Amino acid sequence: MNAPRTRVQRRPVHGVLLLDKPLGLSSNQALQKAKWLLRAEKAGHTGTLDPLASGVLPLCFGAATKFSQLHLDADKTYEATARLGVKTSTGDAEGEVIAERPVAVTAVDLKRVEAQFTGPIRQVPPMHSALKKDGKALYEYAREGVEVERAPRDVVIYKLAIDASSGNEVRIRATVSKGTYIRTLGEDIGEALGCGAHLTALRRVETGGFDVSKCVTLDALEAMAEEERLARLLPTEALVADHTPVTLDAEDAGRFLSGLRRRGTWPDAPAVAVFGHDPPAFLGTAHVKAGELIPGRLLSPIEIQQTLLTEATP
């Protein structure tokens, strides 16, 4: 007879865990594993990373989930390997081969295509994606063998480098805007080279200022003691590092947290991170217009207290 499963005692945990997501797990599966290891009550991630992709996946716990949306819109950098001459049904190695063509690509061709795809471009989202049509994910239609019309989307490729690898493979490094599909980029590069292509590997190495070198793997996290796991959490305000900081005294901080606007000599700013002075604590986000600090997403007093305790525990 199997022993009964031990019930995990959940607790308030606040902060951001930079996870190096492994291959083979969905973003939600990785999130649930980390949530279990931290015994956290509330968790969310900052944007889906395909099971066939590895790399940076910031996970938000507790109060940090209020600001996860900010990183859904963040620019991202990927490293990918594409095999030229072979096109698949999914744009990656999981799909069936649907076309093969000879490859005759030079370094000059690669530079030409780099220039062609750098800057604003239009992409048709792939059928094997989570985008929805009439309330149904595109990948569900694809599994049924149905192809639906998709409107092109405007995206930006800020930086693009394509280098020859071994055989008919090329290495791609791209820094891109929200909504860019790297599988589609790989396929489009293949078409521009006249031979077709599909991705054989994909890794996200940076998102919104978070670099893969700062990430922890699930295996490493599991091997840690509980205090070490908590010590891996970044404070919630790490999600708003690019916001203009404003610090309020105790009276103004209390009024701000109740949703009241505050007046001051602050210059206009579209994105502000607001802190209390005593005790030093992150309070939430705001924007400033004509000297008025206008509240955005706010932490509750209990979240602030729990955040301070979480940061002090390790």
Side-chain angles (χ1 to χ4, degrees), residues 14 35 38 64 68 71 75 96-97 114 126 138 164 188 208 256 284:
H14 302 275
K35 182 181 178 183
L38 287 166
S68 60
H71 277 256
D75 298 336
E96 297 179 358
V97 174
E114 271 184 14
L138 291 182
D188 290 345
F256 174 80

Side-chain angles (χ1 to χ4, degrees), residues 149-207:
E149 187 175 350
R150 291 97 69 204
R153 304 172 74 180
D154 294 316
V155 298
V156 181
I157 312 297
Y158 297 107
K159 296 179 182 178
L160 179 63
I162 310 171
D163 298 301
S165 184
S166 59
N168 287 336
E169 290 192 331
V170 293
R171 295 185 301 271
I172 300 169
R173 183 180 174 95
T175 299
V176 303
S177 67
K178 170 192 174 184
T180 303
Y181 288 94
I182 304 301
R183 278 183 300 161
T184 300
L185 178 63
E187 288 185 300
D188 290 345
I189 286 171
E191 290 304 314
L193 290 169
C195 58
H198 71 275
L199 293 193
T200 58
L202 178 61
R203 184 162 173 78
R204 187 159 69 192
V205 295
E206 191 270 339
T207 177

Side-chain angles (χ1 to χ4, degrees), residues 49-66:
L49 195 56
D50 285 352
L52 290 178
S54 65
V56 188
L57 182 66
L59 304 180
C60 299
F61 296 91
T65 60
K66 288 187 174 182

Side-chain angles (χ1 to χ4, degrees), residues 3-78:
R5 295 184 64 181
T6 303
R7 185 175 178 84
V8 175
Q9 186 66 42
R10 302 288 182 178
R11 59 185 173 176
V13 173
H14 302 275
V16 182
L17 180 72
L18 299 185
L19 182 71
D20 185 346
K21 189 192 82 66
L23 294 172
L25 287 187
S26 70
S27 294
N28 188 59
Q29 287 172 326
L31 171 68
Q32 295 307 319
K33 177 69 172 179
K35 182 181 178 183
W36 182 81
L37 289 171
L38 287 166
R39 297 196 289 117
E41 291 178 340
K42 185 178 181 181
H45 58 67
T46 59
T48 301
L49 195 56
D50 285 352
L52 290 178
S54 65
V56 188
L57 182 66
L59 304 180
C60 299
F61 296 91
T65 60
K66 288 187 174 182
F67 308 94
S68 60
Q69 178 67 38
L70 298 173
H71 277 256
L72 291 176
D73 300 335
D75 298 336
K76 299 170 176 65
T77 299
Y78 294 89

Side-chain angles (χ1 to χ4, degrees), residues 102-228:
V103 179
V105 174
T106 67
V108 172
D109 293 327
L110 296 181
K111 290 300 177 185
R112 169 180 59 80
V113 171
E114 271 184 14
Q116 179 180 340
F117 286 95
T118 300
I121 66 169
R122 306 200 87 191
Q123 279 192 338
V124 176
M127 281 299 302
H128 288 267
S129 68
L131 283 180
K132 292 190 175 180
K133 171 80 170 179
D134 299 328
K136 187 174 176 179
L138 291 182
Y139 65 77
E140 294 181 84
Y141 288 105
R143 288 172 181 169
E144 297 167 0
V146 176
E147 182 158 344
V148 299
E149 187 175 350
R150 291 97 69 204
R153 304 172 74 180
D154 294 316
V155 298
V156 181
I157 312 297
Y158 297 107
K159 296 179 182 178
L160 179 63
I162 310 171
D163 298 301
S165 184
S166 59
N168 287 336
E169 290 192 331
V170 293
R171 295 185 301 271
I172 300 169
R173 183 180 174 95
T175 299
V176 303
S177 67
K178 170 192 174 184
T180 303
Y181 288 94
I182 304 301
R183 278 183 300 161
T184 300
L185 178 63
E187 288 185 300
D188 290 345
I189 286 171
E191 290 304 314
L193 290 169
C195 58
H198 71 275
L199 293 193
T200 58
L202 178 61
R203 184 162 173 78
R204 187 159 69 192
V205 295
E206 191 270 339
T207 177
F210 296 135
D211 189 88
V212 72
S213 64
K214 307 297 185 192
C215 294
V216 63
T217 66
L218 283 174
D219 286 344
L221 194 68
E222 189 166 15
M224 293 177 182
E226 193 164 85
E227 294 76 15
E228 292 178 285

Side-chain angles (χ1 to χ4, degrees), residues 264-287:
T265 58
W266 309 292
D268 285 5
V272 173
V274 184
F275 297 85
H277 176 67
D278 186 21
F282 175 57
L283 308 180
T285 58
H287 68 277

